[in-house]
Amino acid sequence: MRKVWSEELQTVVAQADTRDYRSRWACFSCRTAFVRWRPAADEARMAICPTCKAPARDMGYLFTPPPRRDQRAWARMRVLADHGIRFHRTGSVAFINAFLLTDGVGSARALDQAVVRWKKCWRSGGTL
């Protein structure tokens, strides 16, 4: 939020910023992460990777990228991105670490099945 002088009202009014905070973006083709301003709602949710010029995805400002050499971890992060799971809140990070990235979920395929199972249970109001 930023404050702007309004001539009509003759007072200072709060105006929503189009770019509130910086976010981490992940490029899954070259396995790098970089920081950019989060785009406005009407802009595209994609950014271009500065390294390989491929499309990158907004993963949230709390995203901690895995090491570049860890291909399994990057595959799991790609599954999370494909399902729309981001690291925008501390609660989402805690949920991802506690329920989705546990020791029992080692592969990207197992994580994909766990996310699908979680989404189905969440929609029906049941338990895992």
Side-chain angles (χ1 to χ4, degrees):
M1 299 294 286
R2 63 186 169 117
K3 295 182 179 181
V4 178
W5 179 258
S6 172
E7 286 293 327
E8 290 177 13
L9 302 175
Q10 292 294 308
T11 186
V12 175
V13 272
Q15 190 177 49
D17 285 334
T18 56
R19 301 172 189 263
D20 330 355
Y21 61 90
R22 294 171 13 147
S23 188
R24 290 186 187 249
W25 295 76
C27 175
F28 296 107
S29 61
C30 65
R31 295 189 304 271
T32 58
F34 53 94
V35 177
R36 290 273 190 276
W37 285 102
R38 189 164 181 251
D42 56 342
E43 294 179 24
R45 293 275 179 204
M46 300 290 262
I48 302 298
C49 175
T51 307
C52 68
K53 306 296 185 228
R57 296 204 191 154
D58 181 12
M59 293 300 288
Y61 73 99
L62 295 172
F63 175 65
T64 305
R68 183 181 279 182
R69 66 185 175 280
D70 193 354
Q71 293 180 3
R72 288 181 83 186
W74 276 98
R76 288 186 300 213
M77 293 299 125
R78 181 179 211 132
V79 168
L80 292 177
D82 289 344
H83 283 285
I85 298 173
R86 307 285 188 263
F87 297 82
H88 286 297
R89 306 266 188 277
T90 55
S92 64
V93 174
F95 171 77
I96 291 167
N97 290 334
F99 294 106
L100 296 180
L101 297 179
T102 58
D103 293 332
V105 181
S107 67
R109 176 179 241 165
L111 177 62
D112 186 45
Q113 293 170 352
V115 171
V116 168
R117 188 173 61 246
W118 167 76
K119 282 185 173 182
K120 189 189 314 182
C121 276
W122 184 74
R123 287 185 184 126
S124 67
T127 59
L128 289 174

